[in-house]
Amino acid sequence: MRILITGGTVLSSTGAVQADVLVDGETIAALSAPGISWDADKVIDATGKYVLPGGIDAHTHMEMPFGGTHSNDTFETGTTAAAWGGTTTIIDFAVQAKGTTLQSTLDKWHSKADGNCAIDYGFHMIVSDVNETSLKEMQTCVDQGVNSFKMFMAYPGVFYATDGEILRAMQKAADIGGLIMMHAENGIAIDELVAQALQEGRTDPVQHGLTRPSALEGEATSRAITLAKVTGSPLYIVHLSAAEALNAVAAARNTGQNVFAETCPQYLYLSIEDLAKPDFEGSKYVASPPLRPKEHQASLWNGLRTNDLSVVSTDHCPFCFNEQKELGRGDFSKIPNGIPGVEHRMDLLHQGVVAGEISLARWVEITSTTPARMFGLYPRKGTISPGSDADIVVYDPQATQTLSVETHHMNVDYSAYEGMQITGKVDTVLSRGRVVVEGNAFHGSAGHGQFLSRELCQYLN
Ligand code: URP
Ligand code: ZN
Ligand code: ZN
C-alpha cells in the first residue's frame, strides 16, 4: 500500500517546508517537492494543513493499580484515545509491586498490552523494591528494551524509596546506561502534613494541594539531582509542576549535568483553583504533584522555551469520578491520584502555539522528536524522514473544537478540560503506514500496535 500525502506543510523540530510525503508499507519512502507525481494507492489531500510526526506520549498509566483500584483505560481504550488525538506511540509504566521481581512485572505488563494496543508502545519500569535481585534485573530489563527506571521520593509504604535505595539504583543505572526517572516530592514531610490536615478535619480535595507544597517538590528535585551527581547517573524528572523544581533542574543543566525534565498539560493549563471546586468536583483534579497556583504556569512555559523542560507527556492516569474518585469522599488522601489526558496533549500544546508561547517547531520537538531521542526511538519515531516509521499526523490548524466528556474517547466519565475551546484539530493519523483516524472515523484496531524495544537515551554526554 502506497499513500501520498500531498499539499501540506511538513513540520519538524527545525522548521516547516512545503512537501509531499510518500508512504510505502509501514515506512516513509520519500519527501518530495510539492506536485511531483508518484504512483499511490491512496492520496490524502493535506492542503492548508500541517503534516507532522506522530506524537510520542512518554508517560502513561493504562490499567495501573493504585489506591485499591485501577486506572480505567485499558491498553485498548487508552491507545485508541491516544490515536484520536494524534499520538502514535506511548511509553507506559510497568509497576513492580513490593516482593516481586522486575522480570515478572515486565512479563505481566507485556501480557496486558500484547495484542491490545492500537498504536506502538514501550515500557518504563517502576522500581519499588530495591534489592540485590532487582538491581541485577535492571540489566536484563535494558537487554529487553526497557532502559528507564522510575523511582519515587513520595508515597511512603507504597512506592517510596529511601535516599540510600535511590543511590544504589542510580549507581546501577550509571553502570548500564539506564535512565533514572524521578517522582520528586518529599513524601515523608508530605505524609506528616496530610496527617495533620486530617486530624484537624480538613478533608476536601483542595487539601491534597495544600499538603504538598511546591517547596517540597523543589527540595526533592534538588536532592535527586545531588544523588545523580554523586553517582554519575543521568536523571529525568517526571511531571515537573513547580517553579522551584524547574530552577533546580535549570541550575544543574547549566553545569552540564545530565538532568532532563518533562512537564504535563495539566500543569500548564489547570491550577489549584480547579482542586478547590466545590461538591467534591475538585477530586477530578487530584494528581501528584498537585496542580499549583497559576503563577507557576508562566515559569513552565518559559522552561519549555529554554529547553530546561524538554518533553511534555500527559501522565495519563484516568479514574472515573463515580466510584473511583469517590473513594476519597471525606478523606482526600484516599482519592486515587491521576488526571486523564492522553487524547488531548497535541491539541493542548498546539494551543501554546496559537497563544504565542512556543513555536510550531518547538511543538513538534517537545511532543515527538525529543521524546523519541530521550527514550531511544529516534529516527524510527519522532521525524518525517525516509526510512522512519510512517507515524504521521495531518493536523488542521484552522479547525475548532470543544473538549468534552461527550466527545472524548478515553474511558473516563469526566473531562479535566470540559468546555475548553481549542483551535486546531487532528484530521488524519497514520500508524506505521496504516490510516487509523480519518476525519470522524476510526479505522485502527487492537493488536496493530507493536512493542518497541528501545535503545539507550540519545542525549547522554
Ligand atoms: O497522580 C499521578 N501522577 N498518578 C500517576 C502516578 C504517578 O505518580 O505518576
Ligand atoms: Zn509520579
Ligand atoms: Zn505518572
Side-chain angles (χ1 to χ4, degrees):
M1 174 85 169
R2 279 157 68 99
I3 300 175
L4 182 66
I5 304 172
T6 175
T9 303
V10 177
L11 303 183
S12 72
S13 60
T14 54
V17 286
Q18 291 301 121
D20 293 350
V21 180
L22 182 69
V23 171
D24 194 352
E26 298 199 343
T27 56
I28 294 163
L31 247 78
S32 70
I36 289 183
S37 82
W38 297 96
D39 277 343
D41 305 294
K42 180 179 171 74
V43 176
I44 296 172
D45 181 4
T47 306
K49 302 191 175 107
Y50 299 142
V51 180
L52 58 144
I56 299 175
D57 190 342
H59 188 153
T60 67
H61 302 281
M62 309 301 174
E63 308 177 34
M64 180 197 177
F66 191 100
T69 184
H70 281 77
S71 58
N72 213 42
D73 263 317
T74 61
F75 279 90
E76 179 170 354
T77 63
T79 56
T80 300
W84 274 107
T87 285
T88 51
T89 299
I90 62 163
I91 311 180
D92 203 86
F93 287 82
V95 187
Q96 181 197 26
K98 282 204 194 298
T100 66
T101 62
L102 298 188
Q103 188 60 54
S104 65
T105 305
L106 197 49
D107 294 345
K108 193 166 169 184
W109 253 258
H110 273 301
S111 66
K112 290 189 204 210
D114 187 25
N116 293 319
C117 291
I119 55 170
D120 290 352
Y121 61 96
F123 292 130
H124 312 287
M125 176 60 69
I126 287 179
V127 182
S128 49
D129 200 346
V130 176
N131 55 47
E132 281 311 313
T133 309
S134 53
L135 288 169
K136 278 203 193 95
E137 285 184 300
M138 285 171 70
Q139 176 69 64
T140 51
C141 287
V142 171
D143 297 341
Q144 294 167 78
V146 177
N147 45 45
S148 36
F149 302 92
K150 183 177 176 188
M151 305 193 76
F152 288 79
M153 302 168 99
Y155 304 123
V158 189
F159 300 126
Y160 175 81
T162 64
D163 287 358
E165 289 166 341
I166 291 169
L167 185 106
R168 290 175 72 197
M170 283 182 168
Q171 286 171 330
K172 179 55 99 176
D175 254 15
I176 64 177
L179 179 64
I180 295 291
M181 307 173 81
M182 191 60 75
H183 181 130
E185 289 187 289
N186 184 328
I188 300 289
I190 286 168
D191 270 15
E192 200 52 50
L193 294 174
V194 169
Q196 289 171 11
L198 293 174
Q199 181 79 29
E200 291 163 16
R202 293 185 277 122
T203 60
D204 285 348
V206 71
Q207 295 299 328
H208 176 78
L210 298 176
T211 55
R212 307 179 87 94
S214 57
L216 293 180
E217 185 181 343
E219 182 278 327
T221 304
S222 299
R223 189 156 32 100
I225 289 169
T226 303
L227 293 170
K229 188 172 181 179
V230 167
T231 55
S233 170
L235 175 66
Y236 178 96
I237 304 290
V238 290
H239 47 45
L240 188 149
S241 72
E244 295 92 324
L246 179 57
N247 291 342
V249 167
R253 288 174 62 78
N254 285 343
T255 69
Q257 200 179 331
N258 277 319
V259 174
F260 312 95
E262 67 174 18
T263 190
C264 312
Q266 53 269 35
Y267 302 120
L268 296 166
Y269 288 103
L270 305 174
S271 78
I272 192 158
E273 289 169 26
D274 293 292
L275 261 178
K277 284 184 177 163
D279 301 328
F280 203 60
E281 272 299 274
S283 66
K284 295 176 177 175
Y285 303 92
V286 166
S288 295
L291 300 181
R292 301 296 183 191
K294 278 202 171 112
E295 305 82 84
H296 291 263
Q297 292 172 0
S299 302
L300 299 181
W301 282 113
N302 195 49
L304 286 172
R305 287 187 291 271
T306 61
N307 201 37
D308 291 319
L309 293 170
S310 35
V311 172
V312 177
S313 311
T314 59
D315 193 10
H316 174 73
C317 193
F319 295 103
C320 287
F321 180 69
N322 292 308
E323 292 181 17
Q324 294 192 297
K325 291 289 185 180
E326 280 181 335
L327 292 168
R329 266 193 202 274
D331 180 349
F332 69 90
S333 72
K334 295 200 164 59
I335 300 169
N337 285 204
I339 294 178
V342 75
E343 190 168 348
H344 300 318
R345 186 181 62 120
M346 301 302 282
D347 285 329
L348 287 167
L349 270 295
H350 181 254
Q351 217 46 38
V353 177
V354 172
E357 296 282 5
I358 52 171
S359 67
L360 268 180
R362 189 66 181 147
W363 177 45
V364 173
E365 192 166 37
I366 61 184
T367 57
S368 181
T369 311
T370 298
R373 289 196 161 116
M374 188 71 68
F375 297 107
L377 293 170
Y378 188 89
R380 179 171 174 191
K381 308 286 189 189
T383 178
I384 296 187
S385 303
S388 296
D389 280 358
D391 289 359
I392 300 174
V393 175
V394 178
Y395 194 83
D396 183 349
Q398 310 296 343
T400 55
Q401 54 172 321
T402 305
L403 304 186
S404 174
V405 65
E406 302 299 331
T407 46
H408 77 205
H409 302 85
M410 299 176 287
N411 192 28
V412 60
D413 64 359
Y414 73 95
S415 172
Y417 303 96
E418 188 65 43
M420 187 167 169
Q421 310 278 325
I422 297 280
T423 302
K425 195 175 189 313
V426 166
D427 179 275
T428 304
V429 179
L430 275 70
S431 165
R432 283 195 346 274
R434 173 167 166 186
V435 176
V436 291
V437 174
E438 198 167 28
N440 292 324
F442 188 72
H443 303 301
S445 60
H448 166 76
Q450 292 178 353
F451 172 69
L452 298 165
S453 176
R454 295 180 292 108
E455 305 293 320
L456 299 182
C457 173
Q458 294 163 349
Y459 284 112
L460 302 187
N461 55 35

